[in-house]
Amino acid sequence: MNAATSARLRYALPALALRGGVVGWLSLIVALPVVVLIVRGLSDGPAAFWSAVSDPAAVDAIWLSLWTAGIAAAVNAVVGTAIAWTLVRWDVPGRRLIAALVDLPLAIPTLVAGVLIIALFGPQSPLGKLLVSGGMPIAFARPGILLALLFVTLPFVVRAVEPVLEELDPAEEEAAFTLGAGQFLTLTRVLLPPILPAVAAGAVQTFARSVAEFGSLAAVSGNIPHRTLVAPVYILGEVEAGNPGGAASVSLVLLALALGMQPLAAALARRGGRA
Amino acid sequence: MRSVRRRPRGAAAVVFGGVAVWLTVLLLLPLGALVVTVAGSAQDVLTQLTTQQAFDALALSLTAAIVSIVGNGVFGVAGALVIVRQRFFGRSLLDAAVDVPLALSPVITGLGFLLVFGRSGLLHPILDALGITVVFAWPSVLLATLFVTLPFTLREVALVLEEIGDTEEQAAATLGASAWQTFWRVTFPNIRNGLVIGTTLTTARALGEFGAVLVVGGSIASRTETATTFIHAAIEERHEAAAYGMALLLAAAAIALLWVLQRDRSAITTQKGGV
């Protein structure tokens, strides 16, 4: 028996034990809750499922979550790309501060993000009083929801686009511009095509995170049914009202969206990496 | 080779100006507003944060963070070894399951745990027979925090494992080292940096978790209340000083963790001979 074969034999048992432990723990803590949630969401039959997800308050909540997430994704696609571009291509003053600021939303607890927005725009702050008397409140209204989503999703597009932009040769942009392409043509023909998959990947990530977002919105949205109540907060309300079945049914809609988004984002990220 | 960066001019200066305004309005002004608000009522904040309830909430958050660091440190290393080094049927499914906690809305996570561990949950008969209460008791807070922080250490360690390859481990095995010796003498020293970064991310996420611990813990003062659910309760009870004070504390912790993270990351890139 040679050394390699004996090594393989000695490692087979520990490797198997390790695999068993990892699979067991993931089954208990991840797979079991998800499977039980799916079963519970459907267990009362298709009629109960349909009545839970077609409840007008549920429909409005899901719709609000979807369109605000869509706006957040679109805004971040533009702003995130601009931030990545200035960070990668230019010697901007305060580079390190900007880079750190972009990561800040990943570290700040999401509920605290909501509290920050209330501290600036809330009805008790000077700015908030001004906004309320001007008839366009931000806190406890839809603009606050958007602001909170833009806060917590800020890093996604920036961090997706940055590495792709690093790989591109700025000489191409300069050449196009010097050859008379103009700023608009340089942007649309030279700069954007190779980074587009990365921008899309970041935007998809933004959308998925926005639909799932809870903490910051629980603080800023005011949670008014049909107006500022987003889907995750609606689900919390159903749980607290003692309707876990209905909550599970609406959760399934979000779960299907989230799990459908994940492979899409991964595929886009892979394409972006190859570009 | 990257060309030398220049100060932005023309259109680039306009884009940079926009980026600066955006980051200021979205991040810096809200942070500043929180600091000013807390400073304006410092006495009140101090009284509200030196209560037994505030201490208990902080203690539970710290406990959950430590349990997550240790638990997911062990699980993260084991899981990364299994996913990167082993080949078996269902490996890609396992790989995908690791990211589920990132995709789920925290409220849905909480609901899933309620349905498994709660009073009418799937495992209730077993837990009841053993005399264990999970939901609305501290174990649920630990469990939910373990769940939401599950991917971080694993992903960081997996990145390092992929990068270093398995030649050193193979050599140790062929030379007669046991699996245990190979791990501690060869693998562990190599993954230490990944472990440190994963731990930092885990800490930040654990201290910030809100939705899941709210649903499964019920935010019972001095029993299942964490730092974030303390803020939530304070907002609902209109104890602004307590809410703002605790939020500032968590924001400061997040900024400190972010600083540690950036230092560790730049240490690694310097090691690799990067910029």
Side-chain angles (χ1 to χ4, degrees):
Chain A
M1 196 160 67
N2 66 31
T5 322
S6 105
R8 214 169 296 139
L9 281 174
R10 268 184 298 116
Y11 279 67
L13 198 61
L16 208 62
L18 203 62
R19 191 192 307 170
V22 168
V23 171
W25 178 241
L26 271 179
S27 305
L28 176 73
I29 198 173
V30 176
L32 190 62
V34 172
V35 169
V36 170
L37 184 80
I38 294 172
V39 171
R40 187 67 189 88
L42 301 171
S43 62
D44 294 337
F49 175 82
W50 182 247
S51 91
V53 299
S54 63
D55 180 285
V59 171
D60 284 349
I62 293 172
W63 177 238
L64 178 64
S65 282
L66 288 178
W67 73 256
T68 49
I71 293 181
V75 171
N76 269 346
V78 176
V79 176
T81 306
I83 296 175
W85 185 69
T86 48
L87 278 176
V88 172
R89 284 286 186 269
W90 300 93
D91 176 28
V92 293
R95 264 183 69 79
R96 291 179 60 98
L97 176 70
I98 295 176
L101 276 180
V102 169
D103 278 337
L104 193 63
L106 293 177
I108 294 254
T110 152
L111 176 65
V112 173
V115 173
L116 287 174
I117 290 171
I118 300 286
L120 182 62
F121 297 105
Q124 289 173 344
S125 77
L127 186 58
K129 280 186 190 120
L130 206 72
L131 288 164
V132 171
S133 65
M136 37 184 262
I138 288 184
F140 311 128
R142 286 169 177 177
I145 296 177
L146 270 176
L147 214 55
L149 292 180
L150 290 170
F151 185 111
V152 297
T153 59
L154 172 74
F156 296 140
V157 173
V158 183
R159 293 300 174 225
V161 172
E162 251 186 333
V164 184
L165 217 46
E166 295 262 11
E167 294 297 310
L168 291 178
D169 191 351
E172 280 184 34
E173 290 158 42
E174 277 156 32
F177 189 63
T178 324
L179 290 173
Q183 279 167 349
F184 182 73
L185 275 183
T186 307
L187 180 73
T188 53
R189 295 282 173 82
V190 181
L191 182 65
L192 284 185
I195 65 170
L196 223 46
V199 175
V204 169
Q205 220 185 340
T206 300
F207 185 85
R209 172 62 203 268
S210 300
V211 172
E213 178 55 21
F214 172 68
S216 63
L217 301 183
V220 301
S221 74
N223 310 321
I224 308 158
H226 304 291
R227 297 218 1 246
T228 62
L229 186 70
V230 294
V233 184
Y234 173 83
I235 293 171
L236 176 74
E238 290 304 291
V239 173
E240 291 186 333
N243 180 17
S249 299
V250 178
S251 297
L252 285 192
V253 177
L254 296 197
L255 190 68
L257 268 170
L259 296 185
M261 257 346 142
Q262 226 172 14
L264 179 63
L268 283 167
R270 270 197 304 278
R271 268 194 63 191
R274 270 206 297 271
Chain B
M1 268 311 281
R2 182 192 295 155
S3 62
V4 180
R5 292 198 192 90
R6 289 165 301 155
R7 291 272 167 180
R9 280 176 294 120
V14 176
V15 173
F16 171 65
V19 165
V21 170
W22 184 262
L23 293 176
T24 306
V25 172
L26 199 60
L27 301 172
L28 290 180
L29 286 185
L31 262 176
L34 182 65
V35 173
V36 169
T37 314
V38 169
S41 53
Q43 195 62 47
D44 210 8
V45 169
L46 217 58
T47 336
Q48 302 251 25
L49 284 192
T50 46
T51 57
Q52 191 61 40
Q53 192 188 344
F55 285 143
D56 289 338
L58 272 172
L60 184 57
S61 279
L62 283 176
T63 311
I66 292 167
V67 168
S68 301
I69 290 167
V70 176
N72 281 328
V74 174
F75 171 78
V77 172
L81 279 169
V82 168
I83 286 173
V84 176
R85 292 285 190 258
Q86 300 191 10
R87 290 293 173 270
F88 54 94
F89 177 75
R91 192 188 68 102
S92 55
L93 190 66
L94 194 72
D95 195 27
V98 170
D99 285 334
V100 167
L102 295 178
L104 283 189
S105 181
V107 182
I108 298 180
T109 299
L111 178 59
F113 275 92
L114 276 187
L115 293 173
V116 173
F117 299 101
R119 208 178 306 156
S120 50
L122 185 70
L123 296 183
H124 183 254
I126 304 172
L127 294 168
D128 201 35
L130 294 170
I132 305 172
T133 318
V134 175
V135 164
F136 303 134
W138 58 266
S140 69
V141 174
L142 303 188
L143 211 57
T145 313
L146 273 172
F147 176 89
V148 297
T149 56
L150 182 124
F152 297 114
T153 301
L154 193 154
R155 288 295 174 217
E156 291 296 329
V157 173
L159 267 180
V160 181
L161 281 178
E162 258 165 28
E163 205 154 286
I164 58 175
D166 64 349
T167 27
E168 284 181 36
E169 289 164 17
Q170 297 279 10
T174 317
L175 291 173
S178 71
W180 193 248
Q181 284 171 322
T182 306
F183 174 73
W184 283 112
R185 307 249 178 102
V186 180
T187 313
F188 185 75
N190 283 325
I191 60 175
R192 207 181 287 155
N193 279 331
L195 209 52
V196 169
I197 292 182
T199 299
T200 315
L201 294 170
T202 301
T203 312
R205 187 71 180 80
L207 292 179
E209 178 47 29
F210 168 57
V213 297
L214 176 70
V215 174
V216 295
S219 186
I220 306 163
S222 289
R223 290 202 24 229
T224 62
E225 195 171 73
T226 63
T228 51
T229 51
F230 173 91
I231 296 174
H232 182 65
I235 294 175
E236 303 228 305
E237 288 157 21
R238 303 200 168 273
H239 292 155
E240 271 83 13
Y244 285 142
M246 189 64 93
L248 186 61
L249 207 59
L250 287 183
I255 290 169
L257 285 167
L258 194 64
W259 180 75
V260 171
L261 189 67
Q262 302 239 328
R263 211 194 42 188
D264 290 342
R265 284 242 161 91
S266 65
I268 287 177
T269 31
T270 326
Q271 252 173 19
K272 285 181 196 152
V275 193

